[in-house]
Amino acid sequence: MFVDIINAISKYSIPLIIAGFVLYGLVKKVDVYATFTDGAKEGFTTAVNIIPSLVGMLVAIGIFRASGAMELLTGFLGAATSKIGIPGEIIPMALIRPLSGGGARGVMTELVTTHGPNSLIGRMAAIMMGSTDTTFYILAVYFGSVSIRKQRHAVSAGLLADLAGVIAAIAMTRIFFG
């Protein structure tokens, strides 16, 4: 019963919200279509403006992975973390997540496929995926879209938040799943 209500709400909520905006615009005598197309033009301009930032970020990620730096760093850190109970296999997930959501999803999929979804490593990867964010992607897109060049403390704050997310994911996985 409750699930059916939630499913019905989920199914119709987005169309109802859109219809609500259109009706509100009509009541306020706003040219809804013209406003929509103006917003679409602005969105397209923003998308074009952030392309250089995204290309730079993707090239940096490609260089980092293709150079072997990821494997080198993973091997070094994995040896140290395994001594304190953190599986070395999870290190690539922690390293790639701030750089790329798609890359992190690929690493997580590989870990879950290799170790199983109910394994400690599989669960840790899944929790880490939800506890951290793609810091460099966010900075490239959001700062690039409004042409902010001096990011000041944003990178360090974002990476610190990612570190907190990684630590929390490891701790919660250990607490709840052993």
Side-chain angles (χ1 to χ4, degrees):
M1 174 77 178
F2 181 71
V3 172
D4 295 333
I5 294 170
I6 296 298
N7 285 336
I9 291 171
S10 298
K11 188 175 182 180
Y12 298 111
S13 62
I14 300 297
L16 287 173
I17 289 170
I18 293 170
F21 282 127
V22 171
L23 287 174
Y24 181 78
L26 292 174
V27 167
K28 293 291 187 174
K29 299 192 185 329
V30 173
D31 186 354
V32 176
Y33 183 74
T35 304
F36 173 77
T37 56
D38 288 344
K41 280 187 232 173
E42 188 177 322
F44 184 75
T45 302
T46 301
V48 169
N49 288 339
I50 65 172
I51 287 173
S53 300
L54 287 175
V55 169
M57 181 199 66
L58 292 172
V59 167
I61 292 169
I63 291 170
F64 181 67
R65 294 185 82 186
S67 70
M70 172 70 95
E71 289 77 23
L72 185 67
L73 195 55
T74 298
F76 176 73
L77 292 175
T81 60
S82 62
K83 292 179 182 175
I84 57 172
I86 300 170
E89 295 89 348
I90 206 72
I91 300 300
M93 179 71 181
L95 293 176
I96 200 73
R97 181 66 173 141
L99 300 170
S100 166
R105 193 174 307 108
V107 170
M108 182 185 74
T109 301
E110 181 182 324
L111 289 172
V112 168
T113 301
T114 303
H115 300 282
N118 293 326
S119 68
L120 182 71
I121 292 170
R123 288 177 171 160
M124 198 174 285
I127 293 171
M128 195 176 294
M129 186 73 167
S131 302
T132 58
D133 213 333
T134 54
T135 300
F136 290 103
Y137 176 82
I138 289 170
L139 294 175
V141 170
Y142 294 136
F143 285 120
S145 68
V146 292
S147 301
I148 295 175
R149 298 288 173 235
K150 296 181 181 177
Q151 297 179 359
R152 197 163 174 171
H153 301 294
V155 173
S156 56
L159 291 176
L160 190 59
D162 284 331
L163 178 62
V166 166
I167 292 169
I170 292 167
M172 292 300 108
T173 306
R174 286 284 184 194
I175 289 169
F176 289 107
F177 302 110

